mmCIF file of all heavy atoms in Angstrom:
data_model
loop_
_atom_site.group_PDB
_atom_site.id
_atom_site.type_symbol
_atom_site.label_atom_id
_atom_site.label_comp_id
_atom_site.label_asym_id
_atom_site.label_seq_id
_atom_site.Cartn_x
_atom_site.Cartn_y
_atom_site.Cartn_z
ATOM 1 N N ALA A 1 -5.047 8.925 0.168
ATOM 2 C CA ALA A 1 -4.104 10.009 0.439
ATOM 3 C C ALA A 1 -4.587 10.777 1.656
ATOM 4 O O ALA A 1 -5.786 11.051 1.809
ATOM 5 C CB ALA A 1 -3.988 10.944 -0.767
ATOM 6 N N LEU A 2 -3.638 11.133 2.530
ATOM 7 C CA LEU A 2 -3.931 11.846 3.762
ATOM 8 C C LEU A 2 -3.667 13.343 3.574
ATOM 9 O O LEU A 2 -2.946 13.746 2.662
ATOM 10 C CB LEU A 2 -3.060 11.304 4.896
ATOM 11 C CG LEU A 2 -3.045 9.790 5.092
ATOM 12 C CD1 LEU A 2 -2.162 9.422 6.286
ATOM 13 C CD2 LEU A 2 -4.455 9.257 5.275
ATOM 14 N N PRO A 3 -4.224 14.179 4.431
ATOM 15 C CA PRO A 3 -4.041 15.630 4.271
ATOM 16 C C PRO A 3 -2.587 16.079 4.335
ATOM 17 O O PRO A 3 -2.243 17.109 3.750
ATOM 18 C CB PRO A 3 -4.841 16.209 5.447
ATOM 19 C CG PRO A 3 -5.828 15.171 5.805
ATOM 20 C CD PRO A 3 -5.178 13.866 5.517
ATOM 21 N N ASP A 4 -1.703 15.325 5.019
ATOM 22 C CA ASP A 4 -0.310 15.749 5.141
ATOM 23 C C ASP A 4 0.544 15.358 3.937
ATOM 24 O O ASP A 4 1.756 15.560 3.931
ATOM 25 C CB ASP A 4 0.320 15.181 6.422
ATOM 26 C CG ASP A 4 0.450 13.656 6.400
ATOM 27 O OD1 ASP A 4 0.050 13.024 5.401
ATOM 28 O OD2 ASP A 4 0.953 13.098 7.394
ATOM 29 N N GLY A 5 -0.083 14.784 2.904
ATOM 30 C CA GLY A 5 0.647 14.404 1.703
ATOM 31 C C GLY A 5 1.033 12.943 1.648
ATOM 32 O O GLY A 5 1.481 12.461 0.599
ATOM 33 N N THR A 6 0.899 12.233 2.758
ATOM 34 C CA THR A 6 1.159 10.795 2.756
ATOM 35 C C THR A 6 0.153 10.104 1.847
ATOM 36 O O THR A 6 -1.035 10.422 1.852
ATOM 37 C CB THR A 6 1.036 10.221 4.176
ATOM 38 O OG1 THR A 6 1.969 10.879 5.029
ATOM 39 C CG2 THR A 6 1.292 8.723 4.188
ATOM 40 N N SER A 7 0.628 9.138 1.063
ATOM 41 C CA SER A 7 -0.270 8.403 0.184
ATOM 42 C C SER A 7 0.230 6.970 0.058
ATOM 43 O O SER A 7 1.340 6.639 0.494
ATOM 44 C CB SER A 7 -0.354 9.053 -1.204
ATOM 45 O OG SER A 7 0.916 9.017 -1.842
ATOM 46 N N GLY A 8 -0.600 6.126 -0.524
ATOM 47 C CA GLY A 8 -0.194 4.743 -0.704
ATOM 48 C C GLY A 8 -1.316 3.898 -1.225
ATOM 49 O O GLY A 8 -2.384 4.392 -1.594
ATOM 50 N N PHE A 9 -1.042 2.607 -1.274
ATOM 51 C CA PHE A 9 -2.062 1.680 -1.741
ATOM 52 C C PHE A 9 -1.920 0.355 -1.003
ATOM 53 O O PHE A 9 -0.859 0.028 -0.447
ATOM 54 C CB PHE A 9 -1.967 1.451 -3.260
ATOM 55 C CG PHE A 9 -0.743 0.682 -3.695
ATOM 56 C CD1 PHE A 9 -0.738 -0.717 -3.707
ATOM 57 C CD2 PHE A 9 0.405 1.348 -4.095
ATOM 58 C CE1 PHE A 9 0.390 -1.429 -4.103
ATOM 59 C CE2 PHE A 9 1.534 0.643 -4.493
ATOM 60 C CZ PHE A 9 1.527 -0.753 -4.491
ATOM 61 N N ARG A 10 -3.008 -0.394 -1.033
ATOM 62 C CA ARG A 10 -3.023 -1.770 -0.528
ATOM 63 C C ARG A 10 -3.352 -2.673 -1.703
ATOM 64 O O ARG A 10 -4.222 -2.353 -2.522
ATOM 65 C CB ARG A 10 -4.083 -1.932 0.553
ATOM 66 C CG ARG A 10 -4.256 -3.361 1.051
ATOM 67 C CD ARG A 10 -5.300 -3.438 2.165
ATOM 68 N NE ARG A 10 -6.605 -3.014 1.742
ATOM 69 C CZ ARG A 10 -7.747 -3.685 1.983
ATOM 70 N NH1 ARG A 10 -7.719 -4.815 2.646
ATOM 71 N NH2 ARG A 10 -8.896 -3.198 1.582
ATOM 72 N N ALA A 11 -2.675 -3.793 -1.808
ATOM 73 C CA ALA A 11 -2.945 -4.753 -2.873
ATOM 74 C C ALA A 11 -3.048 -6.145 -2.274
ATOM 75 O O ALA A 11 -2.303 -6.491 -1.356
ATOM 76 C CB ALA A 11 -1.846 -4.712 -3.929
ATOM 77 N N TYR A 12 -3.993 -6.912 -2.804
ATOM 78 C CA TYR A 12 -4.099 -8.307 -2.391
ATOM 79 C C TYR A 12 -4.696 -9.125 -3.526
ATOM 80 O O TYR A 12 -5.365 -8.584 -4.419
ATOM 81 C CB TYR A 12 -4.911 -8.474 -1.106
ATOM 82 C CG TYR A 12 -6.339 -7.964 -1.158
ATOM 83 C CD1 TYR A 12 -7.403 -8.811 -1.462
ATOM 84 C CD2 TYR A 12 -6.626 -6.632 -0.867
ATOM 85 C CE1 TYR A 12 -8.705 -8.344 -1.487
ATOM 86 C CE2 TYR A 12 -7.926 -6.152 -0.889
ATOM 87 C CZ TYR A 12 -8.961 -7.017 -1.193
ATOM 88 O OH TYR A 12 -10.250 -6.541 -1.221
ATOM 89 N N ARG A 13 -4.439 -10.408 -3.477
ATOM 90 C CA ARG A 13 -4.910 -11.308 -4.507
ATOM 91 C C ARG A 13 -6.177 -11.993 -4.041
ATOM 92 O O ARG A 13 -6.200 -12.632 -2.989
ATOM 93 C CB ARG A 13 -3.828 -12.343 -4.824
ATOM 94 C CG ARG A 13 -4.105 -13.150 -6.081
ATOM 95 C CD ARG A 13 -2.949 -14.073 -6.396
ATOM 96 N NE ARG A 13 -2.962 -15.258 -5.564
ATOM 97 C CZ ARG A 13 -2.133 -16.294 -5.730
ATOM 98 N NH1 ARG A 13 -1.221 -16.247 -6.685
ATOM 99 N NH2 ARG A 13 -2.186 -17.345 -4.954
ATOM 100 N N ALA A 14 -7.235 -11.852 -4.819
ATOM 101 C CA ALA A 14 -8.493 -12.525 -4.528
ATOM 102 C C ALA A 14 -8.607 -13.770 -5.400
ATOM 103 O O ALA A 14 -8.045 -13.831 -6.492
ATOM 104 C CB ALA A 14 -9.679 -11.595 -4.794
ATOM 105 N N GLY A 15 -9.327 -14.741 -4.933
ATOM 106 C CA GLY A 15 -9.472 -15.987 -5.674
ATOM 107 C C GLY A 15 -8.870 -17.127 -4.885
ATOM 108 O O GLY A 15 -8.609 -17.009 -3.687
ATOM 109 N N GLN A 16 -8.646 -18.231 -5.530
ATOM 110 C CA GLN A 16 -8.103 -19.422 -4.873
ATOM 111 C C GLN A 16 -6.814 -19.868 -5.544
ATOM 112 O O GLN A 16 -6.818 -20.138 -6.753
ATOM 113 C CB GLN A 16 -9.145 -20.548 -4.900
ATOM 114 C CG GLN A 16 -10.402 -20.253 -4.119
ATOM 115 C CD GLN A 16 -10.144 -20.058 -2.638
ATOM 116 O OE1 GLN A 16 -9.233 -20.685 -2.081
ATOM 117 N NE2 GLN A 16 -10.909 -19.200 -2.009
ATOM 118 N N PRO A 17 -5.708 -19.955 -4.817
ATOM 119 C CA PRO A 17 -5.605 -19.542 -3.408
ATOM 120 C C PRO A 17 -5.415 -18.037 -3.285
ATOM 121 O O PRO A 17 -4.789 -17.415 -4.148
ATOM 122 C CB PRO A 17 -4.358 -20.284 -2.921
ATOM 123 C CG PRO A 17 -3.496 -20.367 -4.148
ATOM 124 C CD PRO A 17 -4.448 -20.543 -5.312
ATOM 125 N N ALA A 18 -5.978 -17.465 -2.239
ATOM 126 C CA ALA A 18 -5.802 -16.040 -1.988
ATOM 127 C C ALA A 18 -4.398 -15.799 -1.449
ATOM 128 O O ALA A 18 -3.712 -16.726 -1.017
ATOM 129 C CB ALA A 18 -6.840 -15.549 -0.993
ATOM 130 N N GLY A 19 -3.975 -14.553 -1.498
ATOM 131 C CA GLY A 19 -2.630 -14.241 -1.030
ATOM 132 C C GLY A 19 -2.640 -13.237 0.101
ATOM 133 O O GLY A 19 -3.677 -12.659 0.434
ATOM 134 N N GLU A 20 -1.462 -13.028 0.693
ATOM 135 C CA GLU A 20 -1.330 -12.026 1.735
ATOM 136 C C GLU A 20 -1.438 -10.625 1.133
ATOM 137 O O GLU A 20 -1.326 -10.438 -0.072
ATOM 138 C CB GLU A 20 0.019 -12.191 2.446
ATOM 139 C CG GLU A 20 0.138 -13.452 3.264
ATOM 140 C CD GLU A 20 1.456 -13.527 3.995
ATOM 141 O OE1 GLU A 20 2.483 -13.084 3.420
ATOM 142 O OE2 GLU A 20 1.474 -14.019 5.124
ATOM 143 N N GLN A 21 -1.622 -9.651 2.016
ATOM 144 C CA GLN A 21 -1.789 -8.277 1.570
ATOM 145 C C GLN A 21 -0.489 -7.501 1.694
ATOM 146 O O GLN A 21 0.394 -7.852 2.468
ATOM 147 C CB GLN A 21 -2.890 -7.599 2.397
ATOM 148 C CG GLN A 21 -4.231 -8.290 2.290
ATOM 149 C CD GLN A 21 -5.347 -7.521 2.961
ATOM 150 O OE1 GLN A 21 -5.170 -6.391 3.394
ATOM 151 N NE2 GLN A 21 -6.513 -8.140 3.031
ATOM 152 N N LEU A 22 -0.398 -6.446 0.912
ATOM 153 C CA LEU A 22 0.750 -5.554 0.939
ATOM 154 C C LEU A 22 0.248 -4.117 0.948
ATOM 155 O O LEU A 22 -0.630 -3.752 0.169
ATOM 156 C CB LEU A 22 1.620 -5.760 -0.303
ATOM 157 C CG LEU A 22 2.740 -4.720 -0.530
ATOM 158 C CD1 LEU A 22 3.839 -4.895 0.511
ATOM 159 C CD2 LEU A 22 3.308 -4.843 -1.936
ATOM 160 N N VAL A 23 0.791 -3.299 1.857
ATOM 161 C CA VAL A 23 0.497 -1.861 1.882
ATOM 162 C C VAL A 23 1.812 -1.119 1.694
ATOM 163 O O VAL A 23 2.788 -1.375 2.403
ATOM 164 C CB VAL A 23 -0.174 -1.431 3.198
ATOM 165 C CG1 VAL A 23 -0.498 0.061 3.161
ATOM 166 C CG2 VAL A 23 -1.450 -2.233 3.447
ATOM 167 N N ALA A 24 1.840 -0.207 0.730
ATOM 168 C CA ALA A 24 3.026 0.594 0.441
ATOM 169 C C ALA A 24 2.720 2.056 0.749
ATOM 170 O O ALA A 24 1.647 2.554 0.400
ATOM 171 C CB ALA A 24 3.431 0.442 -1.023
ATOM 172 N N ILE A 25 3.664 2.741 1.387
ATOM 173 C CA ILE A 25 3.458 4.115 1.856
ATOM 174 C C ILE A 25 4.537 5.037 1.298
ATOM 175 O O ILE A 25 5.738 4.744 1.404
ATOM 176 C CB ILE A 25 3.489 4.179 3.403
ATOM 177 C CG1 ILE A 25 2.408 3.283 4.004
ATOM 178 C CG2 ILE A 25 3.327 5.618 3.894
ATOM 179 C CD1 ILE A 25 0.992 3.690 3.657
ATOM 180 N N TRP A 26 4.107 6.153 0.710
ATOM 181 C CA TRP A 26 4.997 7.224 0.253
ATOM 182 C C TRP A 26 4.743 8.488 1.068
ATOM 183 O O TRP A 26 3.594 8.780 1.425
ATOM 184 C CB TRP A 26 4.738 7.545 -1.217
ATOM 185 C CG TRP A 26 5.276 6.558 -2.192
ATOM 186 C CD1 TRP A 26 6.453 6.621 -2.874
ATOM 187 C CD2 TRP A 26 4.649 5.338 -2.622
ATOM 188 N NE1 TRP A 26 6.606 5.529 -3.695
ATOM 189 C CE2 TRP A 26 5.510 4.721 -3.564
ATOM 190 C CE3 TRP A 26 3.447 4.696 -2.303
ATOM 191 C CZ2 TRP A 26 5.210 3.519 -4.182
ATOM 192 C CZ3 TRP A 26 3.143 3.492 -2.913
ATOM 193 C CH2 TRP A 26 4.016 2.913 -3.836
ATOM 194 N N ASN A 27 5.787 9.244 1.341
ATOM 195 C CA ASN A 27 5.586 10.527 2.016
ATOM 196 C C ASN A 27 5.292 11.614 0.985
ATOM 197 O O ASN A 27 5.275 11.357 -0.227
ATOM 198 C CB ASN A 27 6.780 10.890 2.907
ATOM 199 C CG ASN A 27 8.072 11.085 2.112
ATOM 200 O OD1 ASN A 27 8.059 11.387 0.920
ATOM 201 N ND2 ASN A 27 9.206 10.920 2.795
ATOM 202 N N GLY A 28 5.074 12.834 1.484
ATOM 203 C CA GLY A 28 4.692 13.921 0.592
ATOM 204 C C GLY A 28 5.760 14.293 -0.415
ATOM 205 O O GLY A 28 5.453 14.882 -1.461
ATOM 206 N N ALA A 29 7.021 13.942 -0.128
ATOM 207 C CA ALA A 29 8.114 14.236 -1.050
ATOM 208 C C ALA A 29 8.284 13.160 -2.110
ATOM 209 O O ALA A 29 9.143 13.281 -2.988
ATOM 210 C CB ALA A 29 9.418 14.388 -0.260
ATOM 211 N N GLY A 30 7.471 12.107 -2.028
ATOM 212 C CA GLY A 30 7.566 11.036 -3.006
ATOM 213 C C GLY A 30 8.517 9.917 -2.635
ATOM 214 O O GLY A 30 8.782 9.033 -3.457
ATOM 215 N N ASP A 31 9.009 9.931 -1.391
ATOM 216 C CA ASP A 31 9.909 8.872 -0.935
ATOM 217 C C ASP A 31 9.084 7.671 -0.454
ATOM 218 O O ASP A 31 8.106 7.838 0.281
ATOM 219 C CB ASP A 31 10.782 9.353 0.228
ATOM 220 C CG ASP A 31 11.622 10.567 -0.137
ATOM 221 O OD1 ASP A 31 12.169 10.581 -1.254
ATOM 222 O OD2 ASP A 31 11.710 11.496 0.691
ATOM 223 N N LEU A 32 9.496 6.486 -0.852
ATOM 224 C CA LEU A 32 8.837 5.268 -0.383
ATOM 225 C C LEU A 32 9.303 5.007 1.043
ATOM 226 O O LEU A 32 10.450 4.638 1.288
ATOM 227 C CB LEU A 32 9.197 4.094 -1.295
ATOM 228 C CG LEU A 32 8.561 2.744 -0.961
ATOM 229 C CD1 LEU A 32 7.044 2.813 -1.015
ATOM 230 C CD2 LEU A 32 9.075 1.669 -1.916
ATOM 231 N N GLU A 33 8.407 5.218 2.006
ATOM 232 C CA GLU A 33 8.780 5.125 3.413
ATOM 233 C C GLU A 33 8.811 3.693 3.917
ATOM 234 O O GLU A 33 9.602 3.350 4.785
ATOM 235 C CB GLU A 33 7.828 5.948 4.270
ATOM 236 C CG GLU A 33 7.972 7.441 4.090
ATOM 237 C CD GLU A 33 7.369 8.209 5.238
ATOM 238 O OE1 GLU A 33 6.379 7.733 5.827
ATOM 239 O OE2 GLU A 33 7.899 9.294 5.553
ATOM 240 N N GLY A 34 7.916 2.865 3.411
ATOM 241 C CA GLY A 34 7.923 1.508 3.922
ATOM 242 C C GLY A 34 6.795 0.654 3.396
ATOM 243 O O GLY A 34 5.898 1.130 2.685
#
């Protein structure tokens, strides 16, 4: 989480086969920005 209220997470699959990563971002109002 950033000081301006932006927050999010990164997720990825470890192991074989591994997967691509995903980062999800929410703004301070709780809207999923991208």
Side-chain angles (χ1 to χ4, degrees):
L2 310 182
D4 66 0
T6 301
S7 63
F9 69 86
R10 175 178 61 133
Y12 59 95
R13 192 176 78 173
Q16 296 298 328
E20 292 183 323
Q21 301 187 8
L22 170 70
V23 182
I25 301 297
W26 285 263
N27 63 24
D31 302 318
L32 181 60
E33 290 199 328

